Amino acid sequence: MASYDLKNEVNDKYSLRGRVFQKLREDILSGKYKEHEELKEVAIGEELGVSRTPVREAFRQLELEGLIQIVPNKGAYVTGITAKDVKDIYMIRSLLEGLCARLATEKITKEQMEEMEENIYLADFHAAKGHMDQMAELDNRFHDILYEACDSKMLEHTLKDYHQYVLRVRQKTLSTNTRGRASNDEHRQIMEAIKSGDASKAEQLANKHMLNAYDNMVKNGLNEIYGDEAGVL
Amino acid sequence: MASYDLKNEVNDKYSLRGRVFQKLREDILSGKYKEHEELKEVAIGEELGVSRTPVREAFRQLELEGLIQIVPNKGAYVTGITAKDVKDIYMIRSLLEGLCARLATEKITKEQMEEMEENIYLADFHAAKGHMDQMAELDNRFHDILYEACDSKMLEHTLKDYHQYVLRVRQKTLSTNTRGRASNDEHRQIMEAIKSGDASKAEQLANKHMLNAYDNMVKNGLNEIYGDEAGVL
DNA sequence: TTCCGTATAATTGTATACAATCATACCATT
DNA sequence: AATGGTATGATTGTATACAATTATACGGAA
């Protein structure tokens, strides 16, 4: 299911649809297009200098990624994420990242383990320097390594979907210095559990890591952003 | 994310793209198109009397559903499901159906509970009569009710995706009389746990229900169908 | 024979024209 | 003034023509 994804992305860089897709994806994730904003085929086509056809196809891909919704005969709208969605996603991720860590304990390769260690080491450095952007990127990469290491393309695909889905929210909330440090410490614990072959511990730690990340988001004003739209948090 | 899905499907019935989508979906699930078979835009367009445009768009939707893969500049291929995929899906579903049952214990509505009871009652009848087709349909419906009852559109969407994904495999393997009965008994236990408000028990039972379903598949010749392609089962 | 390159055919990618649908504004009627 | 209907514009849906890419077949050179 996901085995060709990477290849496709590379190829897509050279197709108009691929370029439109990447541009729109970036603009949605960065917040240029707000929630529930309507995306019009001709407007975007003109802006990027292409016809409607590749734009329409890019729309379908964006829908596939969950970034927009297409309503027949009406239009394409940037997907809204409610506070409840975020809560549910972290609940689901908590279970699945745990499973992922458990599987990775048996399946992780030497190279993946080394990249993981390097990732944590680097994150320590950037945490000390207060480089929040690099921290965020390393955090993303850590989880991607974990997803790849579990050797299950079904699980990897699902986790990547959810991971990306919350990126929009996270960019605005995770950027507190203290959480960056704590998060990396938890990464280290997970890594060590995997390295020592303790699958249950790795599962438990990855589990908790997600719940902690969510708690931190709530503390740091998720309510202010996505607040009442979804009720309780 | 999934809140408009139903509405779209209804609307799509009246668009060419929607009709092409449904036809192809049915043909893939029923096995008319074999795994890894290439779907050609013009051939399908001619067969259904439409141009390439709606066919192309239907392809994107099918990719969204995980039924085909599109390789840029090459073609669209029916997604292959390996034995390992099936194993991974059931592992994931075991966790998520557990979570779903737990959430449903608090959120289920009176109407949903009644439909669930009716479903189990009917399944008893058809089990006695040996009506395997109805049993399969009721089984599908039971899980759909559960997904809706958890009141999380993120979780519901993910579970429905996986559920559909294994339908192709299940149609060929679940049709043993004994499993149909046992499966319905497990449904009843889950339902009763939910009804009594015991969320932990419901989670645990739903968990086990998935693992049992998987074990049954393995026993009943999953290997013969998807066998060596994926290695161990 | 084997290998490589070119020519040809088949297939997907893109642009554009036209049809169908939906939103809006305006006018008529009550 | 409020309501309803029609006309107009805007937007998406579909068909088709053409461009770009890929696969295949064939022929020549080593």
Side-chain angles (χ1 to χ4, degrees):
Chain A
M1 185 171 172
S3 52
Y4 286 102
D5 284 358
L6 185 62
K7 197 176 172 188
N8 284 8
E9 274 174 40
V10 174
N11 286 337
D12 270 359
K13 281 179 67 172
Y14 304 107
S15 74
L16 292 186
R17 177 194 59 220
R19 275 164 41 204
V20 173
F21 171 73
Q22 293 198 344
K23 179 74 165 66
L24 290 177
R25 185 176 183 277
E26 205 179 308
D27 287 346
I28 292 174
L29 289 177
S30 74
K32 178 180 170 185
Y33 296 116
K34 305 280 185 289
E35 296 206 338
H36 305 112
E37 186 170 343
E38 183 169 4
L39 301 181
K40 290 170 189 170
E41 297 173 356
V42 283
I44 289 165
E46 283 174 4
E47 190 183 327
L48 302 179
V50 300
S51 79
R52 284 173 55 215
T53 308
V55 174
R56 284 177 64 87
E57 308 218 341
F59 277 13
R60 307 291 169 193
Q61 289 189 298
L62 289 167
E63 188 183 35
L64 183 145
E65 299 261 323
L67 292 175
I68 67 172
Q69 277 174 209
I70 297 174
V71 181
N73 285 311
K74 293 211 43 189
Y77 305 88
V78 177
T79 303
I81 305 181
T82 67
K84 179 164 190 317
D85 288 337
V86 176
K87 183 185 182 183
D88 289 349
I89 289 173
Y90 273 88
M91 205 161 40
I92 294 168
R93 277 186 75 194
S94 172
L95 284 176
L96 296 190
E97 296 243 353
L99 173 61
C100 182
R102 178 152 60 89
L103 295 178
T105 304
E106 291 195 359
K107 296 284 191 174
I108 195 166
T109 68
K110 200 172 165 184
E111 291 76 23
Q112 288 164 339
M113 179 54 82
E114 276 169 10
E115 193 186 347
M116 203 177 255
E117 293 188 82
E118 184 186 329
N119 179 287
I120 292 165
Y121 181 80
L122 259 175
D124 261 340
F125 172 77
H126 287 300
K129 294 274 189 180
H131 298 159
M132 300 322 280
D133 286 355
Q134 283 94 332
M135 285 296 286
E137 193 149 332
L138 285 169
D139 182 86
N140 291 339
R141 184 58 196 148
F142 176 85
H143 287 277
D144 277 343
I145 298 168
L146 195 63
Y147 301 159
E148 287 160 18
C150 76
D151 194 38
S152 165
K153 65 179 197 290
M154 303 302 297
L155 184 54
E156 180 183 350
H157 185 258
T158 301
L159 280 171
K160 281 189 175 174
D161 271 2
Y162 279 124
H163 189 194
Q164 170 191 277
Y165 213 80
V166 294
L167 274 188
R168 279 192 284 171
V169 184
R170 239 201 27 180
Q171 278 189 335
K172 302 171 188 169
T173 57
L174 188 97
S175 311
T176 72
N177 202 324
T178 54
R179 177 58 195 160
R181 237 180 246 274
S183 175
N184 197 45
D185 284 344
E186 291 169 14
H187 287 180
R188 179 180 292 104
Q189 287 185 293
I190 293 169
M191 182 270 288
E192 281 170 356
I194 292 174
K195 198 174 182 182
S196 73
D198 192 338
S200 295
K201 192 175 181 185
E203 176 170 17
Q204 193 184 339
L205 288 169
N207 228 289
K208 194 73 194 330
H209 177 55
M210 278 298 107
L211 299 179
N212 288 342
Y214 177 69
D215 285 343
N216 179 261
M217 285 183 62
V218 177
K219 282 203 198 95
N220 283 68
L222 177 62
N223 274 309
E224 291 167 22
I225 302 175
Y226 291 89
D228 304 327
E229 197 171 331
V232 291
L233 239 177
Chain B
M1 184 169 169
S3 52
Y4 285 102
D5 283 359
L6 186 62
K7 196 177 173 188
N8 284 9
E9 274 174 38
V10 174
N11 286 337
D12 271 358
K13 280 180 66 171
Y14 304 106
S15 73
L16 292 187
R17 163 173 41 98
R19 275 164 41 203
V20 173
F21 171 73
Q22 293 197 344
K23 180 73 165 65
L24 289 177
R25 183 175 184 278
E26 206 178 307
D27 286 346
I28 292 174
L29 288 177
S30 74
K32 178 179 169 186
Y33 296 116
K34 305 280 184 287
E35 297 207 338
H36 304 111
E37 185 169 345
E38 183 169 4
L39 301 181
K40 288 170 190 171
E41 296 173 358
V42 284
I44 289 165
E46 282 174 5
E47 190 183 327
L48 301 178
V50 299
S51 78
R52 284 173 55 214
T53 308
V55 174
R56 284 177 65 87
E57 307 216 341
F59 276 13
R60 307 291 168 192
Q61 290 188 299
L62 290 167
E63 187 181 36
L64 182 145
E65 299 261 324
L67 292 176
I68 67 172
Q69 277 173 210
I70 297 174
V71 180
N73 285 312
K74 293 210 45 186
Y77 305 88
V78 177
T79 304
I81 305 180
T82 67
K84 179 166 189 315
D85 289 336
V86 176
K87 183 185 183 184
D88 290 348
I89 288 174
Y90 273 88
M91 204 160 41
I92 294 168
R93 277 185 76 194
S94 173
L95 284 176
L96 296 189
E97 296 243 353
L99 173 61
C100 182
R102 178 152 59 88
L103 295 178
T105 304
E106 291 194 359
K107 297 284 191 174
I108 195 167
T109 68
K110 201 172 164 184
E111 291 75 24
Q112 288 164 340
M113 179 53 83
E114 277 169 10
E115 194 186 348
M116 204 176 254
E117 294 188 81
E118 185 187 327
N119 179 286
I120 292 164
Y121 181 79
L122 259 175
D124 260 341
F125 172 78
H126 287 300
K129 293 274 190 180
H131 298 159
M132 300 323 281
D133 287 354
Q134 282 94 331
M135 287 296 286
E137 195 149 331
L138 285 169
D139 181 86
N140 290 340
R141 184 60 196 149
F142 176 86
H143 287 277
D144 278 342
I145 298 168
L146 194 64
Y147 301 160
E148 286 160 19
C150 77
D151 195 38
S152 164
K153 65 179 196 291
M154 303 301 298
L155 184 54
E156 180 182 350
H157 185 258
T158 301
L159 280 171
K160 281 189 175 173
D161 271 3
Y162 279 124
H163 189 192
Q164 170 192 274
Y165 213 80
V166 294
L167 274 188
R168 278 193 283 171
V169 183
R170 239 201 26 179
Q171 278 188 334
K172 302 171 189 170
T173 57
L174 188 97
S175 311
T176 72
N177 202 323
T178 54
R179 177 59 194 159
R181 236 179 246 275
S183 175
N184 197 45
D185 284 343
E186 290 170 16
H187 287 180
R188 179 180 292 105
Q189 287 185 294
I190 293 169
M191 181 270 287
E192 281 170 357
I194 292 174
K195 198 173 182 183
S196 73
D198 192 338
S200 295
K201 192 174 180 185
E203 177 171 16
Q204 194 185 337
L205 288 168
N207 228 289
K208 194 72 195 329
H209 177 55
M210 277 299 106
L211 298 180
N212 288 341
Y214 176 68
D215 285 344
N216 179 261
M217 285 183 63
V218 177
K219 280 203 199 95
N220 282 68
L222 178 62
N223 274 309
E224 291 168 21
I225 301 174
Y226 291 90
D228 304 327
E229 198 171 332
V232 290
L233 240 177

